[in-house]
Amino acid sequence: MAVYGPHCLNQGKIPTHVAMIMDGNGRWAMSQGQQRTWGHNEGVSSVRKVVCYTNTLGVKYLTLYAFSEENWKRPKAEVDFIFSLVARYLKAEIEELDRQNVFVAYIGDFSKLGDDVQESLAYAQKRLSKNTGLTLIIALSYGSRSEIVHACKSLLVKVQSEEMGIEDIDQEAFSRFLQTSSYPDPDLLIRTSGELRISNFLLWQLAYSELYFSDRMWPEFESWHYLEAVAQYQQRKRRYGTIHSH
Ligand code: IPE
Ligand code: IPE
Ligand code: MG
């Protein structure tokens, strides 16, 4: 085990926004001879730890990919389990999130969510609405291509009603129609489980994010793995297409 602690990172730049694809719950559970749902359950402990560490590090925004648009294709029992877990997590952790001054927000298409799930999301949001610390953005029923198509439609409505002209459309104007319009782009994307893909997550927003892939499955992703990712991020040279400056 590497002897990383938050103090190791004092010298470098802390990312403002970290995004995470929390993957590998099912495979991890199966490897333990358990049902996939057990893996989701255990994954909640990783969420708890990661939120706490994100706060300690002073990261301002944390986006967690909890359920993709494509995940609706999974068996209903697993889908229902995941949503009830999200609702239970928010309920059980509300006091602790409040104590940590966490503000909660969501991205995704909620039209398919049950009323009870929507209510628990709204309740947590309201309860934490005055908080000014870490913004925790939970991506639920989220698909980036859909988000982009939806943004195009909203923009076209503005053009049609002549509130906007074609000449007003630029990258900045377009990004105001995305669900992430209030947040900066992620500086660091972490995906667990060893898969090297984006799986329809924040396609627009990740244009210049640093990518970090961990072989750990999400339920076994510990704080020191997170610190390793941030330490590696601090070594990266972000050039944004320009030439390297020393
Ligand atoms: C990630 O774990 C959680 C969700 C997608 C909801 P998976 O459920 O994808 O687990 P694996 O990737 O099949 O192991
Ligand atoms: C991505 O994981 C979605 C979430 C972690 C919520 P998946 O397990 O759904 O992605 P694929 O199918 O391996 O690309
Ligand atoms: Mg997966």
Side-chain angles (χ1 to χ4, degrees):
M1 185 198 304
V3 281
Y4 281 118
H7 58 280
C8 301
L9 305 172
N10 287 348
Q11 303 306 314
K13 203 170 157 45
I14 295 295
T16 303
H17 184 172
V18 175
M20 293 201 189
I21 303 179
M22 313 185 284
D23 195 20
N25 293 348
R27 273 166 289 163
W28 182 78
M30 303 290 274
S31 77
Q32 311 287 308
Q34 304 278 350
Q35 303 283 318
R36 291 178 55 84
T37 47
W38 191 69
H40 297 311
N41 212 27
E42 293 302 299
V44 175
S45 320
S46 296
V47 172
R48 212 173 280 126
K49 284 182 236 174
V50 158
V51 169
C52 185
Y53 248 76
T54 303
N55 245 326
T56 310
L57 288 170
V59 172
K60 299 277 182 278
Y61 299 87
L62 173 66
T63 301
L64 297 179
Y65 201 7
F67 193 88
S68 74
E69 192 182 326
E70 290 76 20
N71 290 151
W72 285 108
K73 295 179 204 150
R74 295 187 181 198
K76 188 173 182 307
E78 181 173 341
V79 170
D80 289 347
F81 186 89
I82 293 169
F83 283 109
S84 69
L85 199 60
V86 172
R88 256 190 291 147
Y89 163 78
L90 286 172
K91 195 161 179 239
E93 288 297 302
I94 201 85
E95 296 299 331
E96 180 55 24
L97 290 171
D98 195 28
R99 199 189 61 75
Q100 291 183 36
N101 198 19
V102 173
F103 179 91
V104 76
Y106 311 104
I107 53 173
D109 173 9
F110 285 12
S111 61
K112 288 191 208 149
L113 303 189
D115 290 345
D116 48 341
V117 177
Q118 294 205 31
E119 270 165 35
S120 62
L121 298 180
Y123 175 78
Q125 189 161 43
K126 190 156 176 267
R127 176 77 167 68
L128 304 173
S129 63
K130 295 205 172 62
N131 289 348
T132 53
L134 169 69
T135 297
L136 171 63
I137 304 151
I138 305 176
L140 261 186
S141 186
Y142 175 85
S144 188
R145 286 183 168 181
S146 288
E147 181 193 28
I148 291 169
V149 169
H150 190 265
C152 288
K153 285 184 177 171
S154 312
L155 205 138
L156 281 171
V157 169
K158 295 268 181 206
V159 173
Q160 230 170 12
S161 65
E162 293 177 7
E163 277 174 76
M164 266 179 94
I166 301 271
E167 62 287 355
D168 300 326
I169 304 172
D170 56 15
Q171 294 183 22
E172 210 266 308
F174 183 80
S175 64
R176 283 203 298 272
F177 288 87
L178 295 170
Q179 289 188 297
T180 51
S181 60
S182 323
Y183 322 121
D185 289 341
D187 299 292
L188 172 63
L189 170 79
I190 299 174
R191 180 174 189 147
T192 57
S193 92
E195 302 298 353
L196 308 180
R197 55 177 171 263
I198 301 299
S199 301
N200 203 11
F201 190 43
L202 303 174
L203 301 178
W204 171 281
Q205 298 86 340
L206 293 173
Y208 270 105
S209 306
E210 295 299 322
L211 311 181
Y212 181 90
F213 297 98
S214 166
D215 284 334
R216 317 306 298 194
M217 297 293 156
W218 178 252
E220 51 181 17
F221 189 73
E222 296 288 345
S223 358
W224 59 87
H225 300 126
Y226 190 4
L227 293 178
E228 249 165 16
V230 176
Q232 200 185 99
Y233 165 84
Q234 293 188 334
Q235 304 304 314
R236 305 268 181 98
K237 298 277 179 276
R238 302 183 78 183
R239 284 187 286 278
Y240 302 97
T242 66
I243 55 167
H244 187 93
S245 59
H246 290 279

